[in-house]
Amino acid sequence: MINYEDRGVSPHKPDVKNAIIGIDQGIFPNAFCKAIPDILCGSKDHCLLLHADGAGTKSSLAYIYYKENEDLNVFEGIAQDSLVMNLDDLLCVGAVDTFILSNTIGRNYKLINGEILKKIIFGYTKMIKLLEPYGIQIYNCGGETADIGDLTRTIIVDSVLATRILKKNFIDCSKVKANHDIIGLASFGKAVYEEEYNSGIGSNGLTAARHEILSSKYKEKYPESFAPEISNFCYTGKFNLNDKLPNTNLTIGKAILSPTRTYAPVIKEVLNKYKNSISAVFHNTGGGQTKCLNFGNNIKYIKNNLFPIPPIFKLIKENTSLSQYEMHRVFNMGHRMEIVCDPKVSLEIIKISEKYEVEARIVGKTELANNSSLTIITPDEVLEYIK
Amino acid sequence: MINYEDRGVSPHKPDVKNAIIGIDQGIFPNAFCKAIPDILCGSKDHCLLLHADGAGTKSSLAYIYYKENEDLNVFEGIAQDSLVMNLDDLLCVGAVDTFILSNTIGRNYKLINGEILKKIIFGYTKMIKLLEPYGIQIYNCGGETADIGDLTRTIIVDSVLATRILKKNFIDCSKVKANHDIIGLASFGKAVYEEEYNSGIGSNGLTAARHEILSSKYKEKYPESFAPEISNFCYTGKFNLNDKLPNTNLTIGKAILSPTRTYAPVIKEVLNKYKNSISAVFHNTGGGQTKCLNFGNNIKYIKNNLFPIPPIFKLIKENTSLSQYEMHRVFNMGHRMEIVCDPKVSLEIIKISEKYEVEARIVGKTELANNSSLTIITPDEVLEYIK
């Protein structure tokens, strides 16, 4: 069986965690994002957040899709991925209103032309405009595009968001409560603020998804799209980019490139109304469904009512060697955002989400326990994870 | 003759400039950094800056140096490069006091281990501590390390700084004045706040410097250190990393890896005392000595008193096909920071710089002209550049 290290991905990053030991954790240690004192404005009531992340290896897929189909539009989605990977992390700590944005694009000048850059920059602008009517302001401070082919095989798109919020509005998920419901917000479907059906893939597990699913023909054709060190384990699947994804109108290529949905409009309204009844918000990125396990003490998370597995994850599950256990540790499997709340407000929160046509449901609950753990009960299997 | 495009670098980035046409320019259009309204704190008197940049292809050199010499310490310098490329840009608009920092590290997990990450993170911490006694506060907000070998051959180290300053303290170099002196602050030597002699190379022109100078033996040995698309033009020099750089105590490898000097302590003191007599500050990064030409209207820049060319640039000049004209367009050639000021304060500014053991001199002046241009008069040649 192929594991993540074979493909050059350390799924739990022990060496990264080790490298940052001793680094100050800010005002709210072990929260979802690091908050620091408001040293820019000097307010004792506020904290600052500066968050950097990117679209990851999804841009490598956008590249081969563009080469195969001459479709530049997929790069708009990469800008969205890069932005939302930051924005939706910040939602988890209660930042929902006002952000400033910058980005870095690293490209191999021999392969990535100005038209692609234009599309990426347009993608940012489009996303900023899309969020405006919902009272979410993102101000673009510009960015840097570097020609660094000696470092970059194709293109890397990273973003950064800064914001400032009242400390009293900060959601500190290290204090997640027992006996709360876990509401899952669907990663798939079509929200009112989306143009087309979203597969739900997000921006995590893309190295696995690409190589597990796509055919070896891309290995021969696009050696620039993967690390040569993993060439024995790359593009081991059987599908072409333009094959249909069953039960959807999408091709497999488009489904894996589905831009990362933001939950900003939903979370903004939810927090405005029910902040005091919410003990944590989790963005299920790296770690997938097990992300919550990084947070809180003596909390047993039980998820027994996940969404039916969306078509893209079903395809991956049915056509790869990945176990259910691994799948849930890498992918969001159907909901990429979790709100942990007092059961009294669960139905109201679900209603708000559904207003935006983002499906939502109570996927599980939290319990007090001697040790932190996570149990996922699927129709086929019970999956147990410990901290 | 080999040109930059051959090596995958677009020196003037016309397609990048084209891609960002129409993007709002903020409060001070055509200034050195984009400033936006203070939407985070709501002060009409302040503006915000969010700036992203990185160490560029210098990290590829750090990688081969580390492989050859088993010396991890060079990665500390990469963190400094990445930080200073942001910090010193922000100095140019008058931001000198308080910053918040984040970073993204993209690595090929198969080649870059946790020890390297530790060194990079330590490099940031060290630099932050070094600047503290000078009243320059940088607060580390953490960052993201991504395993993206499918995108990254070795390692990419990008940083972002955010800050907030009074609008009245903003230096708007689009309004650079005629009949001002241009003070150059040396990029080479050993400042009081540096541990060893700095070659002055900075973080620009590194793709050219590496490939012009280093021997083809690195091409065979480290194919992961360059873009395969440029393999006919890579490592075309004759030197080994451990050869001595004439007239210094450095090896050539260490000289090209010399960490980018910050001018923060100097500029902070200079602006505190003479801000009102300064019309522009330029950080000579991309574009080298021609950087100033991007700014101001109807200004003729005349530089007739550059520093003697420091050893590292002399080596590049003497051992490559690069013309003087090109060299000055790519490298800083001896001073990486320029202060354009009323001649009345020139000597005082030079004194401040020399207090920090950063050599400084009047390198030239500005004149009113019908068109913007730059004339560099070297002992051998007169170089003319137009906007």
Side-chain angles (χ1 to χ4, degrees):
Chain A
M1 198 191 126
I2 300 171
N3 65 37
Y4 294 97
E5 277 82 359
D6 289 336
R7 290 213 175 96
V9 176
S10 160
H12 313 296
K13 298 187 189 167
D15 61 344
V16 176
K17 286 175 185 159
N18 185 34
I20 59 174
I21 284 173
I23 298 282
D24 140 77
Q25 288 224 21
I27 303 178
F28 301 101
N30 305 309
F32 203 88
C33 300
K34 179 173 175 179
I36 70 158
D38 180 13
I39 60 169
L40 295 185
C41 315
S43 159
K44 284 188 180 154
D45 297 330
H46 289 80
C47 59
L48 295 174
L49 295 134
L50 182 62
H51 195 282
D53 205 341
T57 58
K58 201 163 175 176
S59 58
S60 173
L61 181 64
Y63 169 81
I64 70 170
Y65 188 91
Y66 148 72
K67 296 293 276 187
E68 288 284 299
N69 294 288
E70 293 182 20
D71 178 0
L72 282 165
N73 291 319
V74 288
F75 287 104
E76 283 181 32
I78 295 300
Q80 178 173 334
D81 293 319
S82 182
L83 175 54
V84 173
M85 285 298 280
N86 290 284
L87 178 59
D88 281 30
D89 271 6
L90 289 168
L91 298 178
C92 295
V93 296
V96 292
D97 289 308
T98 311
F99 304 88
I100 62 175
L101 163 73
S102 184
N103 66 49
T104 51
I105 301 174
R107 68 162 167 172
N108 184 342
Y109 172 68
K110 292 285 181 188
L111 303 177
I112 303 295
N113 60 34
E115 293 304 307
I116 294 176
L117 300 180
K118 252 193 202 165
K119 276 289 175 194
I120 293 171
I121 289 161
F122 178 72
Y124 280 107
T125 307
K126 192 172 160 185
M127 199 60 193
I128 290 168
K129 282 204 181 128
L130 183 141
L131 290 169
E132 261 173 19
Y134 300 96
I136 296 153
Q137 186 188 8
I138 301 176
Y139 202 117
N140 191 342
C141 298
E144 174 72 15
T145 297
D147 294 334
I148 48 171
D150 285 353
L151 296 178
T152 309
R153 303 182 203 286
T154 49
I155 185 164
I156 296 182
V157 183
D158 285 339
S159 303
V160 61
L161 285 179
T163 189
R164 173 177 179 263
I165 62 171
L166 281 165
K167 284 184 196 169
K168 71 176 165 95
N169 288 340
F170 191 91
I171 299 169
D172 180 358
C173 68
S174 75
K175 300 192 168 61
V176 56
K177 287 187 183 154
N179 304 315
H180 267 194
D181 279 351
I182 306 171
I183 315 285
L185 307 186
S187 55
F188 61 94
K190 187 182 163 305
V192 290
Y193 47 82
E194 286 175 322
E195 284 173 355
E196 54 183 351
Y197 173 85
N198 196 310
S199 76
I201 188 82
S203 298
N204 283 94
L206 265 290
T207 300
R210 287 157 54 236
H211 293 311
E212 289 282 345
I213 287 296
L214 295 178
S215 136
S216 62
K217 81 173 189 190
Y218 300 112
K219 182 175 165 179
E220 314 299 325
K221 212 164 166 189
Y222 304 110
E224 66 271 33
S225 72
F226 61 90
E229 295 84 4
I230 64 154
S231 71
N232 290 338
F233 307 104
C234 82
Y235 299 125
T236 53
K238 63 181 185 196
F239 295 100
N240 293 325
L241 286 171
N242 295 329
D243 291 346
K244 290 292 286 180
L245 176 64
N247 302 312
T248 71
N249 291 322
L250 297 176
T251 61
I252 288 173
K254 277 282 203 176
I256 315 184
L257 282 168
S258 229
T260 307
R261 163 178 292 177
T262 181
Y263 297 95
V266 180
I267 299 290
K268 184 179 159 86
E269 187 172 338
V270 166
L271 294 185
N272 279 345
K273 291 191 176 150
Y274 299 111
K275 202 214 148 281
N276 292 333
S277 306
I278 290 167
S279 68
V281 182
F282 297 126
H283 185 200
N284 294 333
T285 56
Q289 277 298 327
T290 72
K291 188 79 167 191
C292 55
L293 205 42
N294 294 327
F295 304 98
N297 291 309
N298 303 319
I299 293 288
K300 175 171 179 153
Y301 296 93
I302 302 163
K303 300 187 195 174
N304 56 3
N305 187 37
L306 298 191
F307 286 98
I309 298 181
I312 185 67
F313 299 121
K314 216 166 166 191
L315 184 90
I316 296 172
K317 180 168 168 280
E318 285 169 1
N319 291 281
T320 70
S321 58
L322 292 173
S323 65
Q324 288 261 47
Y325 186 85
E326 276 303 307
M327 288 280 298
H328 286 78
R329 224 156 56 140
V330 175
F331 300 107
N332 69 65
M333 301 304 283
H335 70 271
R336 221 187 71 244
M337 191 63 85
E338 286 172 348
I339 299 167
V340 186
C341 64
D342 188 324
K344 284 180 197 144
V345 299
S346 297
L347 294 183
E348 294 303 317
I349 289 175
I350 290 170
K351 265 192 216 158
I352 291 172
S353 189
E354 287 176 344
K355 208 174 74 182
Y356 293 94
E357 294 175 22
V358 173
E359 261 195 85
R361 58 160 71 187
I362 300 170
V363 295
K365 61 184 174 177
T366 56
E367 283 181 0
L368 203 61
N370 287 331
N371 297 299
S372 295
S373 69
L374 163 65
T375 302
I376 297 176
I377 302 165
T378 76
D380 319 310
E381 259 180 273
V382 175
L383 311 169
E384 301 276 5
Y385 303 87
I386 49 166
K387 199 165 186 172
Chain B
M1 198 190 124
I2 301 171
N3 66 36
Y4 294 97
E5 277 83 357
D6 290 334
R7 290 214 175 93
V9 176
S10 160
H12 313 295
K13 298 187 190 167
D15 61 346
V16 177
K17 286 174 185 160
N18 186 36
I20 59 174
I21 285 172
I23 297 282
D24 141 77
Q25 288 224 22
I27 303 178
F28 301 101
N30 305 308
F32 202 88
C33 299
K34 179 173 175 178
I36 70 157
D38 180 12
I39 60 169
L40 296 185
C41 316
S43 159
K44 284 188 178 153
D45 297 329
H46 289 81
C47 58
L48 295 174
L49 295 134
L50 181 63
H51 194 281
D53 205 342
T57 58
K58 202 163 175 175
S59 58
S60 173
L61 181 63
Y63 170 81
I64 71 170
Y65 188 91
Y66 148 73
K67 296 293 276 188
E68 287 286 297
N69 294 287
E70 294 182 19
D71 179 359
L72 282 165
N73 291 317
V74 288
F75 287 103
E76 282 180 33
I78 295 300
Q80 178 172 335
D81 293 318
S82 181
L83 175 55
V84 174
M85 285 297 281
N86 290 284
L87 177 60
D88 282 31
D89 272 6
L90 289 168
L91 299 178
C92 296
V93 295
V96 291
D97 289 308
T98 310
F99 304 88
I100 63 175
L101 163 73
S102 183
N103 66 50
T104 51
I105 301 175
R107 68 164 168 172
N108 184 342
Y109 173 68
K110 293 285 182 188
L111 302 177
I112 303 295
N113 61 35
E115 293 305 306
I116 294 175
L117 300 180
K118 252 192 202 166
K119 275 291 175 193
I120 293 171
I121 289 161
F122 179 72
Y124 280 107
T125 306
K126 192 172 160 184
M127 199 61 191
I128 290 169
K129 281 203 181 131
L130 183 142
L131 291 169
E132 260 173 19
Y134 300 96
I136 295 153
Q137 187 190 6
I138 301 177
Y139 202 118
N140 191 342
C141 299
E144 174 72 16
T145 296
D147 294 334
I148 48 171
D150 285 352
L151 297 178
T152 310
R153 303 182 203 285
T154 50
I155 184 164
I156 296 182
V157 183
D158 285 339
S159 303
V160 60
L161 285 179
T163 189
R164 174 177 178 263
I165 62 171
L166 282 165
K167 284 182 195 168
K168 71 177 165 99
N169 288 341
F170 190 92
I171 299 169
D172 180 359
C173 68
S174 75
K175 301 192 168 62
V176 57
K177 288 187 182 154
N179 305 314
H180 267 193
D181 279 350
I182 306 171
I183 315 286
L185 306 186
S187 56
F188 61 94
K190 186 181 163 307
V192 290
Y193 47 82
E194 286 175 321
E195 285 174 356
E196 55 183 352
Y197 173 85
N198 195 311
S199 76
I201 188 83
S203 297
N204 283 95
L206 265 290
T207 300
R210 287 157 52 237
H211 293 310
E212 290 282 346
I213 287 297
L214 296 178
S215 136
S216 62
K217 80 171 189 191
Y218 301 113
K219 182 175 165 179
E220 314 299 324
K221 213 165 164 187
Y222 303 110
E224 67 271 34
S225 72
F226 60 90
E229 295 85 5
I230 64 154
S231 72
N232 290 339
F233 308 103
C234 82
Y235 298 124
T236 53
K238 64 182 184 195
F239 295 101
N240 293 325
L241 286 171
N242 294 330
D243 290 347
K244 290 291 286 179
L245 176 65
N247 301 313
T248 71
N249 292 321
L250 297 176
T251 61
I252 288 174
K254 277 282 202 177
I256 315 184
L257 281 169
S258 230
T260 308
R261 164 179 290 176
T262 180
Y263 297 94
V266 180
I267 299 291
K268 184 178 158 86
E269 187 171 339
V270 166
L271 293 185
N272 279 346
K273 292 189 176 152
Y274 300 109
K275 200 213 150 280
N276 293 332
S277 305
I278 291 167
S279 68
V281 182
F282 298 127
H283 185 200
N284 294 333
T285 56
Q289 277 298 326
T290 72
K291 187 80 168 191
C292 56
L293 204 43
N294 295 327
F295 304 98
N297 292 308
N298 303 319
I299 293 289
K300 175 172 180 153
Y301 297 93
I302 302 164
K303 300 188 195 174
N304 56 3
N305 187 37
L306 297 191
F307 287 97
I309 297 181
I312 186 67
F313 300 121
K314 216 166 165 189
L315 184 90
I316 296 171
K317 180 168 169 279
E318 286 168 1
N319 290 281
T320 70
S321 58
L322 293 172
S323 66
Q324 288 262 45
Y325 186 84
E326 276 302 308
M327 287 281 298
H328 285 77
R329 223 157 54 140
V330 175
F331 300 108
N332 68 65
M333 300 305 281
H335 70 272
R336 221 188 71 244
M337 191 63 85
E338 286 172 349
I339 299 167
V340 186
C341 64
D342 187 324
K344 284 179 197 145
V345 300
S346 298
L347 294 182
E348 294 304 318
I349 288 175
I350 290 170
K351 265 191 216 157
I352 291 172
S353 190
E354 287 175 345
K355 209 175 73 183
Y356 294 93
E357 293 175 22
V358 173
E359 261 194 86
R361 57 160 70 186
I362 300 170
V363 295
K365 60 184 174 180
T366 56
E367 282 181 1
L368 203 62
N370 288 330
N371 297 302
S372 296
S373 69
L374 162 66
T375 303
I376 297 177
I377 301 165
T378 76
D380 319 312
E381 260 180 272
V382 175
L383 311 169
E384 302 276 5
Y385 304 86
I386 49 165
K387 197 165 185 172

